[in-house]
Amino acid sequence: MQDETVSTDHSAEPTRRDFLYLTTGVAAAVGAAAVAWPFIDQMQPDASTLALSTVEVDVSSLEPGMSLTVKWRGKPVFIRNRTEQEIEAAKQVPLSDLKDPEARNENLPASAPATDVDRSAGEGKENWLVMIGVCTHLGCIPLGQSGEFGGWFCPCHGSHYDTAGRIRKGPAPENMAIPLFEFTSDTVVRIG
Ligand code: FES
């Protein structure tokens, strides 16, 4: 297995696997990283390397309400430090209201229900949502903090996801997938 660390240290030379950009609220602070994305994206390791890789992400700079996106195995992974309001909004939703009642969380049994805690990083870390940022309809990348449920909105065909990344309206059939991940410390999450 090959670990890699995503850093926000601007003084470091970007490496070919420094895939990072931050979304709302902190875009200005990491402008250089955001600009570098398209360039770095073209220097990806080949598919066999990607398939084996894990990525370690330092999330210490993410205040509640902030997100970042890392690229892992060729896909965007959204990491969001959710606000109390976002967690509460997701908890209030009865499972019977969900279009997809399954957690779709690789860290849990396949039968796990799509409760808010089972979509999150778990008890005590419910503020953290780590999920593959790919719409389950036809694979577009949804926009964060958008749509009718305050979560993500996929403009391709109008799918609305809630603050736990669960599909609530539109053609997407499933909740956005939660990959295998683990917090290796209070501030570092390893994906894969
Ligand atoms: S790809 Fe997202 S709604 Fe169709």
Side-chain angles (χ1 to χ4, degrees), residues 135-140 142 154-159 161 171-172:
C135 179
T136 61
H137 181 222
L138 294 176
C140 289
C154 181
C156 291
H157 313 93
S159 286
Y161 296 85

Side-chain angles (χ1 to χ4, degrees), residues 98-184:
L98 297 176
K99 183 172 179 181
D100 176 10
E102 295 182 13
R104 310 284 173 192
N105 184 340
E106 282 201 38
N107 305 280
L108 298 174
S111 59
T115 57
D116 184 67
V117 68
D118 280 357
R119 292 283 301 165
S120 74
E123 299 279 354
K125 290 199 181 304
E126 287 158 285
N127 53 316
W128 292 108
L129 189 65
V130 179
M131 70 184 176
I132 295 175
V134 174
C135 179
T136 61
H137 181 222
L138 294 176
C140 289
I141 299 176
L143 306 171
Q145 290 64 66
S146 304
E148 292 182 21
F149 300 88
W152 285 263
F153 174 64
C154 181
C156 291
H157 313 93
S159 286
H160 299 253
Y161 296 85
D162 68 14
T163 55
R166 300 173 298 195
I167 183 64
R168 302 294 300 281
K169 183 177 177 184
E174 294 182 3
N175 304 324
M176 280 191 270
I178 310 283
L180 275 179
F181 72 92
E182 173 182 24
F183 273 84
T184 57

Side-chain angles (χ1 to χ4, degrees), residues 11 33 35 41-42 52 55 61 64 68 95-96 103 118 123 128 137 150 157 161 175 178 187:
S11 63
V35 168
D41 197 26
Q42 291 167 13
L52 293 172
V55 61
S61 62
L68 61 78
L95 285 180
S96 56
D118 280 357
E123 299 279 354
W128 292 108
H137 181 222
H157 313 93
Y161 296 85
N175 304 324
I178 310 283
T187 56

